[in-house]
Amino acid sequence: MTAAPTEIRVSRDRRTLTVSFDDGARFSLPAEMLRVLSPSAEVKGHGPGQAVTVPGKRNVEIMTVAPAGNYAIRIGFDDMHDSGIYTWTYLRELGEDGARMFADYEAELAEKGMTRDRAERPR
């Protein structure tokens, strides 16, 4: 199990969440990545094959960060999405493997003819 972060900080421009862990690991997670890879049912679905690709979030900002028990945070974004529970383990995963995960997201956008800049219905 991943230890709890020692610090969670939102940048002044609200576009980056920095998470520091007690082993010295520190990750700067872009708001767009956090939003489009949200662990919420709205994005991931309720079962296999139900995940959607969320376009048009390049300029999304973090509005709120609130504790969710002793194991996670809930992040609220300026597009009103706030249902994702980001566990310490998932935040660590995004820090360590987020670049690959985001590249996969960009490939999905291209396959579906969507962009990071144009908001439309997720599919």
Side-chain angles (χ1 to χ4, degrees), residues 35 42 54 56-57 60-61 63 76-82:
R35 174 60 180 93
E42 178 185 324
V54 181
K57 301 299 177 184
V60 73
E61 294 180 7
M63 299 306 292
F77 298 92
D78 67 351
D79 67 352
M80 308 319 282
H81 177 78
D82 68 354

Side-chain angles (χ1 to χ4, degrees), residues 15 31-32 36 55-60 105-106 115-117:
R15 292 184 186 245
E32 180 186 14
V36 301
K57 301 299 177 184
R58 184 187 301 268
N59 297 313
V60 73
Y105 159 75
E106 289 182 299
T115 73
R116 294 172 56 198
D117 297 305

Side-chain angles (χ1 to χ4, degrees), residues 18-91:
T18 301
V19 183
S20 301
F21 290 90
D22 62 1
D23 64 358
R26 181 181 171 122
F27 305 105
S28 293
L29 307 173
E32 180 186 14
M33 180 178 72
L34 291 164
R35 174 60 180 93
V36 301
L37 299 177
S38 172
S40 69
E42 178 185 324
V43 175
K44 298 293 184 196
H46 292 283
Q50 293 183 350
V52 296
T53 305
V54 181
K57 301 299 177 184
R58 184 187 301 268
N59 297 313
V60 73
E61 294 180 7
I62 298 167
M63 299 306 292
T64 60
V65 176
N70 293 320
Y71 67 98
I73 55 174
R74 180 186 300 264
I75 301 174
F77 298 92
D78 67 351
D79 67 352
M80 308 319 282
H81 177 78
D82 68 354
S83 59
I85 303 293
Y86 297 78
T87 64
W88 308 145
T89 301
Y90 190 57
L91 289 170

